[in-house]
Amino acid sequence: MRRPALTCPRDDMDHPREECGVFGVIGVPDAARFTALGLHALQHRGQEAAGICAFSPEAGFNLERRLGYVRDSFTDPAVIAALPGNLAMGHVRYSTAGSKGHTAIRDVQPLFAEFAMGGCAIAHNGNLTNAESLRRELIDRGSIFQSGSDTECIIHLMARSIQRSIPERMKDALRRVEGAFSVIAMTRSQLIGVRDPMGVRPLVLGRIGAGWALASETCALDIIGAEHVRDIEPGEMVLISESGVESFRPFNPARPRFCIFEYVYFSRPDSVIGGRSVYETRRNIGVELAREAPVDADIVCPVPDSGTPAAIGFAQESGIPFAMGIIRNQYVGRTFIEPTAEIRNMGVRLKLNVNRAIIAGKRVCLVDDSVVRGTTSTKIRDMVRDAGAREVHFRIASPPTAWPCFYGVDTPEREKLLAARMSEAEMGRHLGVDSLRFISLDGLYRACGEAGRDPAQPQFCDACFSGDYPVPPSDAVETGRIRLKERA
Ligand code: AMP
């Protein structure tokens, strides 16, 4: 049954979908400075805006939220000086749909709320699949929303809880939300970390001197010299105070379904997630891909940077020389983040250039991590052909992306996904290349250390490839944005 239209129309909601990074630290002097460094290491997870909240008994809670890169604002000593204290947390944000390319400052996290029992800042990586219906319900019951962010639902649910402490209210609130969430929050004396029952997004715990840190990825612990203690478990909540870490299990247990796309693309290769090196996993993908889809070529070239580890694996397994046939300009962000097609198209050339001396006259095998709309591959094909390549082959280090993600990785709507409209062979013809092959889903699972994909109980969330959504994307189904696959 369709519910009535949203009280707050979707177009007015600035950011229905988000990709983000979170970081927090407790028990170290100048916690905000460490947080700025941690966020800088997580910049790949969100480049539109960043925010830091810090607490000191003398200065209370202070919050700075800015648009742009972390380095644009949080290297300024005056900004850091305005965030005193031994407890701080922050967020980097990346959003597209609905925002029309502009992040409003009111949507930048951490969000802060003053409850009867004290202040609380909260930041979230992931996406709540029932945020729209929750928002409608909360507005109908009198909540006044200040942002378009789904994270704000958590604050209003906490405000309505009858529990007496912030962590208990947070448990109540998070039991009502669905989808993917790795949440960091802070009170005057505690840093809180929570992962959803399936652990779709990463969250790790680190030790730094006498203090503790929480971060989306281990690369953010490295930058501050923290030791990686362990991953926060799926469904776990940790309460960290200066006296130590307490662990709780507030949710009904579920089978873990970590996002496999974090290994393919989203996480940094120097991070370790779930005990697996992201770099090694990507290299393994290249090895599997070379076995599944061999090619007769003179050189293997990565589409940098995200295709590089897989291209190394592909070259090692196939024995074809690895070459940097495409060079990336390190001073531009990821092209995909640009919201309009024109800027995205131009962005590929701003970011990548062909190394003619390497490419001319060769049969080139290009390895990229994924094909989404096909924009990047089309541009690269042209650039490589123009540089005089004799043949152009594409090997893709993920299965065809045929379904949108509703758990915090931004993907376009289904119709815009090339693989939703075409078979592998059709995509190859459409892209006009000599051959195009994707790794199989089983091959991807093998690269991630599994024997293969267990179809009855898949070990990862692979919805973007399989259409098998572990949490029903209820808002999207209800509003007709997606039609789910018929189950066998
Ligand atoms: P497209 O040009 O639309 O086919 O996008 C494919 C390229 O975008 C790949 O080379 C990836 O490196 C990159 N990419 C894939 N998924 C994402 C994502 N969710 N966010 C940002 N970049 C992405």
Side-chain angles (χ1 to χ4, degrees):
M1 191 183 71
R2 279 208 168 194
R3 301 228 188 117
L6 293 172
T7 314
C8 170
R10 192 184 163 78
D11 280 352
D12 285 346
M13 293 169 55
D14 290 294
H15 299 293
R17 289 182 290 174
E18 296 162 9
E19 302 176 3
C20 302
V22 288
F23 185 89
V25 62
I26 185 168
V28 295
D30 293 332
R33 202 166 46 84
F34 284 97
T35 303
L37 287 167
L39 294 179
H40 176 67
L42 296 173
Q43 190 78 79
H44 61 292
R45 298 184 74 87
Q47 297 149 6
E48 285 193 0
I52 297 181
C53 183
F55 177 82
S56 81
E58 300 76 32
F61 286 97
N62 281 287
L63 177 63
E64 292 283 342
R65 301 184 296 171
R66 303 290 174 94
L67 301 181
Y69 289 97
V70 177
R71 65 165 185 257
D72 296 343
S73 307
F74 292 101
T75 45
D76 179 349
V79 174
I80 296 296
L83 294 163
N86 292 0
L87 171 53
M89 58 173 274
H91 186 262
V92 282
R93 168 186 189 78
Y94 180 137
S95 72
T96 53
S99 66
K100 302 180 183 78
H102 300 293
T103 289
I105 203 80
R106 68 193 180 116
D107 287 328
V108 179
Q109 299 188 26
L111 301 181
F112 180 78
E114 201 69 69
F115 295 104
M117 62 284 286
C120 173
I122 184 164
H124 166 212
N125 170 214
N127 189 57
L128 307 182
T129 49
N130 65 340
E132 290 173 38
S133 48
L134 278 176
R135 169 184 283 256
R136 184 173 49 215
E137 177 195 317
L138 286 160
I139 290 175
D140 286 350
R141 290 166 61 199
S143 295
I144 299 169
F145 275 75
Q146 313 245 354
S147 75
S149 155
D150 56 355
T151 312
E152 200 182 336
C153 290
I154 301 172
I155 289 182
H156 291 289
L157 289 168
M158 286 171 68
R160 281 169 192 278
S161 163
I162 55 163
Q163 301 295 335
R164 288 170 185 275
S165 74
I166 286 176
E168 288 303 319
R169 285 188 174 214
M170 186 169 278
K171 287 182 195 169
D172 262 4
L174 292 176
R175 286 189 193 111
R176 293 250 5 240
V177 304
E178 293 165 12
F181 52 87
S182 280
V183 168
I184 291 191
M186 64 187 256
T187 66
R188 302 163 63 93
S189 57
Q190 287 166 316
L191 185 63
I192 305 171
V194 196
R195 244 176 124 189
D196 70 72
M198 291 188 303
V200 176
R201 298 277 145 241
L203 190 63
V204 297
L205 175 70
R207 188 82 168 124
I208 169 161
W212 299 91
L214 288 169
S216 291
E217 294 182 40
T218 58
C219 64
L221 301 179
D222 297 339
I223 196 172
I224 61 161
E227 172 205 343
H228 176 204
V229 176
R230 63 178 179 87
D231 290 13
I232 303 304
E233 297 290 324
E236 182 182 11
M237 172 189 253
V238 287
L239 293 190
I240 312 175
S241 61
E242 296 206 11
S243 53
V245 181
E246 280 180 282
S247 168
F248 300 87
R249 298 281 171 169
F251 311 110
N252 293 329
R255 218 183 130 82
R257 298 283 296 269
F258 182 66
C259 166
I260 206 162
F261 196 66
E262 291 272 353
Y263 285 117
V264 168
Y265 172 82
F266 209 55
S267 293
R268 244 170 69 160
D270 50 342
S271 286
V272 175
I273 306 178
R276 295 185 182 98
S277 145
V278 174
Y279 174 86
E280 265 310 305
T281 307
R282 287 186 191 161
R283 201 189 61 82
N284 290 341
I285 296 176
V287 170
E288 289 289 338
L289 188 54
R291 289 181 189 151
E292 286 187 354
V295 67
D296 226 357
D298 302 314
I299 48 173
V300 170
C301 299
V303 177
D305 287 329
S306 41
T308 305
I312 291 172
F314 194 100
Q316 285 169 343
E317 180 64 18
S318 63
I320 301 170
F322 175 92
M324 295 297 286
I326 298 173
I327 302 297
R328 183 189 155 111
N329 180 330
Q330 298 299 339
Y331 301 95
V332 280
R334 291 179 172 187
T335 58
F336 200 99
I337 159 175
E338 299 297 350
T340 66
E342 302 86 69
I343 303 177
R344 227 180 8 252
N345 286 349
M346 195 174 79
V348 177
R349 273 181 194 279
L350 290 180
K351 186 168 90 166
L352 302 174
N353 190 28
V354 168
N355 189 352
R356 280 172 190 275
I358 295 295
I359 295 279
K362 304 264 180 35
R363 294 173 303 163
V364 180
C365 173
L366 296 163
V367 179
D368 200 359
D369 63 277
S370 57
V371 171
V372 182
R373 300 175 180 85
T375 320
T376 312
S377 322
T378 311
K379 295 278 160 195
I380 288 173
R381 171 209 64 201
D382 289 347
M383 287 159 69
V384 172
R385 283 254 164 78
D386 291 350
R390 210 144 48 83
E391 287 176 20
V392 182
H393 302 270
F394 263 107
R395 292 295 176 271
I396 308 298
S398 59
T401 305
W403 297 88
C405 176
F406 295 103
Y407 311 127
V409 171
D410 181 59
T411 35
E413 54 268 37
R414 185 141 203 258
E415 307 72 67
K416 299 214 174 104
L417 298 173
L418 206 58
R421 310 195 304 266
M422 298 178 199
S423 66
E424 186 175 276
E426 285 166 342
M427 283 190 273
R429 283 196 291 280
H430 173 84
L431 295 178
V433 288
D434 295 283
S435 75
L436 167 73
R437 295 286 303 278
F438 293 78
I439 193 168
S440 68
L441 204 43
D442 269 325
L444 177 57
Y445 270 67
R446 282 195 297 277
C448 293
E450 304 289 331
R453 181 180 194 264
D454 176 351
Q457 292 192 309
Q459 305 90 315
F460 291 98
C461 175
D462 55 21
C464 52
F465 307 128
S466 63
D468 170 3
Y469 291 98
V471 181
S474 50
D475 285 340
V477 171
E478 200 178 288
T479 49
R481 295 201 299 281
I482 185 82
R483 256 196 19 207
L484 299 181
K485 233 167 52 171
E486 299 278 324
R487 287 198 181 259

